Amino acid sequence: MIVQEARKRNVPVMIHAHGDEGARAAVLAGAKSIEHGTFLSDETLRLMKERGTFLVPTFITLEDLTQPGGDYTGPVLELRGKFMMPQAEKVFKKAFSLGVKIATGADNSYTANTTSRISLECAHFVRMGMSPFEAIQAATIISAELLGVEKNTGKIEKDFEADMILVPGNPLEEIRFLQDALMVISNGNIALKRIPFGKK
Ligand SMILES: [Zn+2]
């Protein structure tokens, strides 16, 4: 009902669903994305491929559950996270092999103290079978498409916003370079600068 009402006003809906039944109903209703999707069946994944529904695995958030500290902590969450991670990995691999659109995302407050970051999500994607280039696209051009801002950002091109990060090495060779952003440029403005350029 929410998806139908939102559609009347052209508002896309993202659905956080771990279970297959709810996610499948959301896909059939026309949701733009499924967050988590931990227990998605192959059939629902095929449906997502058919309908262009995005999958946002939030693997880093599941990992956060399993460890003390971070945004989520507690013995029950730890057990849940450890149970969900292998399952989520299976779903990711199936979704990737079917060609479902996969975007990065985190299900946390993303504060300065948050350790579950998109750079780590990219590293998980590579560990689970994506090439570094595909993982970077999941975090940039695919995510921009999911959020409906693909005409403004998500790639480096003329007339696009200059949204860029500077990292200390080539992430196509080692995806973990993304975890050490030395500079963040947002729409052409330097938002973060960790190294004093030009100084000896
Ligand atoms: Zn969620």
Side-chain angles (χ1 to χ4, degrees), residues 16-18 35-36 58 107:
H16 285 238
H18 287 285
E35 276 61 35
H36 312 305
T58 69
D107 197 356

Side-chain angles (χ1 to χ4, degrees), residues 153-197:
T153 188
K155 58 180 170 179
I156 301 170
E157 206 174 284
K158 190 174 173 289
D159 295 329
F160 275 61
E161 291 181 14
D163 294 330
M164 297 179 277
I165 59 171
L166 178 70
V167 292
N170 185 355
L172 296 178
E173 284 161 13
E174 174 50 69
I175 194 73
R176 290 189 179 272
F177 280 130
L178 295 182
Q179 289 166 36
D180 194 24
L182 300 174
M183 186 183 263
V184 177
I185 300 165
S186 173
N187 200 10
N189 300 306
I190 295 176
L192 172 83
K193 184 174 156 189
R194 287 174 50 215
I195 41 173
F197 286 105

